[in-house]
Amino acid sequence: MEKEDPLEARILQDQLADLRAGLFVSMPISIVLSGLILTVQALSGNGLAGAAWFSVVNAINAARLALARHQLKEPGVQDDLTRVWLRLRWFGRLALLAGFTWSFLAVLTAGYTTSQASLHLIILAGISAGAVTYGSSYAAAAIYFITPPLLIAAACLLTKGTLENYILAFAVLLFEGGLVRASFVGQARFRDASRLRHQAERLAAEMERNSREDHLTALLNRRGLEHAIDQFENTDGPFVAMLIDLDGFKSVNDTYGHRTGDELLVRIARRIEEEAPEGSTLARIGGDEFVLIFSSRKNSPSPTNLASNLIAKLARPYPGIASVRIGASIGIYLAENPGLTEMLLRADIALYTAKRRGRNEFCLFDAELARELQRRQSIERDLHSAITMRSLVPWFQPIVRLETEAVVGFEALLRWSHPLHGPISPPEIMTAARETGMLQLLTQTVFADCCALIEGLVKADCRDVRVAMNVSPRELEAGDIDDMILNGLAAKDLPATMFDIEITEEGPVDPDRVDEKLGRLSHAGISIALDDFGTGFSTLASLKDSRIRKVKIDQGFIRGLAKSREDRLLVKAVIDLGRTLGIEVMAEGVETEADRQTLYKLGCRTAQGFLFSKAVPLHLALDSVVKEHAKEL
């Protein structure tokens, strides 16, 4: 036998295991039945011969049980067909020896002629059937056991020469034939069931492996990494987690296509593997993001040296993509215990810090970053209670006419003074809301206050004052903000023309889904403003969208406008372009009188900023407009 068929070896192992298990049931039955025969022989005056026979039968039974017990304790040899076959054959040989021993019933009954012969035949038939029942997984053992005694019994019956005995002999042969066929059928069914089970197990194991593997690079995926991290539990620390994010990879897909991008990822994975320390675990957990985890032993490279080497190696040119330069940013975290979630969280913070420094940088998670993490976790932990307890609310900053400083609108701005960390900036609040899944609750809170302000303005007959709320395209894409706004305004019978949405261009989003929702809002009369124009992903192409009715020039171009010729030229160009396209242009971040006057001279007519007012609570915002409106009357 050879070791080339693991499936066959496992089937034979199952046969062996089932045969052993059956012996622990059939051998006690054999002892009881042989004891009955001994008793019958003793009562008939032939006890000495019966005792000798009983002793031999049960000595063989003891040998079979000893072999079975030995096999149960012996370590598995699943891939060694030769050893498995050898064990099965030993069971077959012992079964054959036991069968010859039971053949001596013919001697005890003088060729089945004594008065006890029929009882012996019944017992022989019962033990033969039992042998087939409990040994069906391996037909040879059952057949070896039943054939000698049944054939000899049939022969003895035939020698008597009577019709009755001829019929009885034929019945014995027929009985044996049925048992032989049942043995082969039972073995075939057992092997088929075993084969199907092992094939299913192998398929399940293969599917499990595939579920843990990144099919492109053959590295572990996120699930595989979670499973592999268990291997470090019995390893001495500290442990190093390196989060590697590629710089410039998107350009490869854009320039050469995704096929080339996939091939490049494979080459990058191989380069990382070449630098990875022995015994480390490498996984690809994102499109262009890799994780390297290893135990920092004395002979291991220092994390900073390894990061430098990785960055240098990954930055080398790749044949076939000469026009695009690939780099890498790396976040590093040293942990005493191998906890994947903790390591990835801190390595990700270090990675983000490295990316802020530029391309091909690495950063080690240190005490300062730990304080940042504690701050972020504290903010995320307290966010829900801050929203529900109304310590986080929108305040409203006036938007005024530059000529008269009359209030023409308000922008809702988030305000939260954390009991430990003090004022939290709106970007931090939004990030925390996204991370904790509370963005929808936060948006609903802001919108509810906007509606309350609009309702107050309507009651004060100030319908020419608009209220604006910032909305991210990601919110539009993922949620049902359009339904919330339209249904909310309709429920309170508030005019949609008094509500503005200020939206900042971001990428990537599903443009079709966002456009559909913006279309619904614009069609209802809600004004769509492009916020922070001139920064981030905002482009001139945005101005071609007929639904954009207002552009807010980012404060970075407004502060110090009176002293910057370049900013004045840029702002003037935007104002003129807006006038040409019929789009209102306003400025944010006006803080000095000089900047206000400069903006007015350039043609800008509305603005907001600290020069006019900071953001104020809802009731103060409403009171200021009501008082101003009363003066006009």
Side-chain angles (χ1 to χ4, degrees):
M1 285 292 172
E2 300 177 353
K3 294 185 179 181
E4 56 188 18
D5 191 350
L7 178 59
E8 178 63 21
R10 282 164 173 74
I11 293 173
L12 290 176
Q13 279 282 3
D14 286 347
Q15 288 180 266
L16 191 60
D18 186 76
L19 187 61
R20 292 198 304 260
L23 284 173
F24 288 106
V25 177
S26 63
M27 288 302 95
I29 295 174
S30 176
I31 294 171
V32 171
L33 293 178
S34 62
L36 289 175
I37 291 175
L38 174 61
T39 302
V40 171
Q41 290 298 118
L43 293 174
S44 64
N46 196 18
L48 186 61
W53 175 86
F54 177 83
S55 299
V56 174
V57 166
N58 286 290
I60 297 172
N61 287 344
R64 296 171 77 184
L65 283 173
L67 182 61
R69 202 170 282 118
H70 172 69
Q71 295 295 332
L72 284 172
K73 294 179 180 179
E74 186 175 309
V77 284
Q78 290 187 347
D79 295 326
D80 194 336
L81 291 176
T82 302
R83 295 181 66 185
V84 177
W85 266 115
L86 182 60
R87 281 150 180 74
L88 284 172
R89 284 170 180 169
W90 268 109
F91 279 111
R93 290 165 187 164
L94 288 174
L96 181 61
L97 184 58
F100 278 121
T101 306
W102 278 86
S103 300
F104 276 85
L105 287 181
V107 176
L108 296 178
T109 59
Y112 292 99
T113 60
T114 64
S115 59
Q116 298 85 17
S118 57
L119 176 62
H120 286 61
L121 284 174
I122 292 172
I123 292 175
L124 179 60
I127 200 166
S128 297
V132 172
T133 300
Y134 293 107
S136 62
S137 58
Y138 182 50
I143 294 171
Y144 288 162
F145 177 79
I146 67 174
T147 300
L150 290 178
L151 286 180
I152 289 176
C156 291
L157 293 171
L158 287 172
T159 59
K160 293 182 179 181
T162 64
L163 179 61
E164 180 180 350
N165 287 318
Y166 287 157
I167 294 173
L168 188 56
F170 177 75
V172 171
L173 292 175
L174 194 64
F175 178 64
E176 182 185 6
L179 290 181
V180 169
R181 181 181 181 280
S183 296
F184 283 121
V185 170
Q187 176 180 274
R189 289 176 176 173
F190 183 89
R191 286 178 58 83
D192 286 343
S194 176
R195 179 180 292 104
L196 289 173
R197 179 169 63 85
H198 286 298
Q199 286 175 341
E201 289 174 351
R202 186 166 60 183
L203 178 60
E206 184 177 344
M207 292 176 64
E208 177 67 17
R209 285 194 301 272
N210 290 339
S211 71
R212 297 175 182 176
E213 183 179 286
D214 173 50
H215 300 297
L216 178 63
T217 63
L219 300 177
L220 297 175
N221 57 19
R222 176 62 181 260
R223 188 168 183 268
L225 180 62
E226 292 173 352
H227 184 266
I229 201 69
D230 294 339
Q231 68 179 309
F232 291 105
E233 288 186 356
N234 298 321
T235 306
D236 294 332
F239 302 92
V240 179
M242 305 183 75
L243 197 56
I244 305 165
D245 188 76
L246 303 182
D247 297 323
F249 180 77
K250 184 178 182 299
S251 299
V252 176
N253 285 334
D254 294 342
T255 305
Y256 297 95
H258 287 279
R259 181 174 180 179
T260 299
D262 289 347
E263 293 173 354
L264 177 60
L265 282 172
V266 174
R267 292 155 70 182
I268 289 171
R270 301 292 84 82
R271 289 191 182 186
I272 298 175
E273 282 182 321
E274 291 170 3
E275 291 294 325
E278 183 179 354
S280 60
T281 297
L282 178 62
R284 175 177 173 238
I285 62 170
D288 58 355
E289 197 168 54
F290 298 83
V291 175
L292 179 63
I293 298 177
F294 59 93
S295 174
S296 181
R297 304 184 183 93
K298 291 181 179 180
N299 58 344
S300 299
S302 74
T304 53
N305 288 342
L306 178 58
S308 297
N309 293 340
L310 279 171
I311 289 173
K313 190 157 191 168
L314 296 179
R316 293 175 190 168
Y318 295 86
I321 56 164
S323 62
V324 178
R325 301 292 293 178
I326 299 297
S329 299
I330 301 178
I332 309 169
Y333 175 63
L334 273 66
E336 289 301 323
N337 299 307
L340 183 61
T341 301
E342 175 191 1
M343 289 194 294
L344 291 186
L345 173 63
R346 285 157 175 76
D348 185 62
I349 293 171
L351 173 65
Y352 180 75
T353 304
K355 280 188 167 294
R356 284 187 298 185
R357 297 174 182 172
R359 292 168 62 102
N360 294 329
E361 294 283 347
F362 68 85
C363 177
L364 184 67
F365 187 89
D366 56 15
E368 182 178 350
L369 291 182
R371 287 191 292 272
E372 287 187 22
L373 175 61
Q374 289 178 348
R375 172 188 170 89
R376 191 175 85 181
Q377 291 175 331
S378 176
I379 291 171
E380 291 177 355
R381 182 184 63 246
D382 299 335
L383 181 62
H384 185 269
S385 62
I387 296 174
T388 55
M389 299 298 293
R390 300 287 294 172
S391 57
L392 192 166
V393 292
W395 285 16
F396 296 87
Q397 185 175 34
I399 300 171
V400 304
R401 295 191 185 279
L402 287 176
E403 184 178 10
T404 62
E405 295 191 15
V407 175
V408 296
F410 291 96
E411 178 185 3
L413 300 172
L414 291 172
R415 292 294 182 265
W416 179 22
S417 181
H418 191 276
L420 181 62
H421 304 292
I424 308 299
S425 68
E428 274 191 287
I429 296 172
M430 296 299 292
T431 299
R434 286 194 189 95
E435 291 296 324
T436 56
M438 282 184 275
L439 189 56
Q440 184 177 8
L441 175 62
L442 183 60
T443 302
Q444 290 172 346
T445 300
V446 174
F447 177 67
D449 279 24
C450 289
C451 288
L453 180 54
I454 293 174
E455 191 172 17
L457 292 170
V458 170
K459 291 179 180 178
D461 198 23
C462 299
R463 294 175 176 265
D464 56 341
V465 178
R466 307 176 68 92
V467 178
M469 181 178 79
N470 291 285
V471 175
S472 163
R474 294 183 186 277
E475 293 179 74
L476 278 170
E477 179 187 29
D480 297 319
I481 292 182
D482 51 335
D483 289 332
M484 179 195 73
I485 292 174
L486 296 177
N487 294 339
L489 293 174
K492 295 192 175 186
D493 196 24
L494 299 176
T497 53
M498 292 181 66
F499 188 67
D500 291 356
I501 286 179
E502 296 186 1
I503 185 168
T504 304
E505 279 205 331
E506 294 179 357
V509 293
D510 181 350
D512 294 334
R513 183 170 172 82
V514 172
D515 287 347
E516 177 188 353
K517 295 186 176 186
L518 286 178
R520 288 188 66 202
L521 296 170
S522 177
H523 182 73
I526 294 172
S527 177
I528 310 297
L530 188 59
D531 197 10
D532 299 331
F533 187 77
T535 64
F537 291 93
S538 64
T539 64
L540 290 175
S542 307
L543 302 182
K544 295 193 300 181
D545 191 332
S546 61
R547 291 165 303 194
I548 302 298
R549 305 313 309 154
K550 184 187 297 183
V551 168
K552 294 181 70 175
I553 303 175
D554 185 71
Q555 58 187 348
F557 299 96
I558 304 302
R559 290 172 180 168
L561 180 67
K563 300 176 182 179
S564 173
R565 180 175 177 273
E566 291 79 7
D567 285 346
R568 288 198 299 274
L569 290 174
L570 288 170
V571 170
K572 175 64 174 173
V574 174
I575 292 172
D576 290 344
L577 183 61
R579 184 180 298 114
T580 301
L581 296 174
I583 297 175
E584 179 185 352
V585 178
M586 65 166 290
E588 59 182 2
V590 180
E591 297 183 354
T592 67
E593 179 62 25
D595 289 342
R596 183 192 73 81
Q597 292 180 7
T598 301
L599 273 170
Y600 188 74
K601 290 177 182 178
L602 293 174
C604 183
R605 293 296 174 256
T606 55
Q608 67 186 100
F610 289 170
L611 177 65
F612 313 111
S613 173
K614 295 181 179 181
V616 296
L618 189 155
H619 69 281
L620 294 180
L622 184 59
D623 287 347
S624 65
V625 174
V626 171
K627 290 178 181 177
E628 183 178 292
H629 184 68
K631 291 179 181 178
E632 293 176 357
L633 295 176

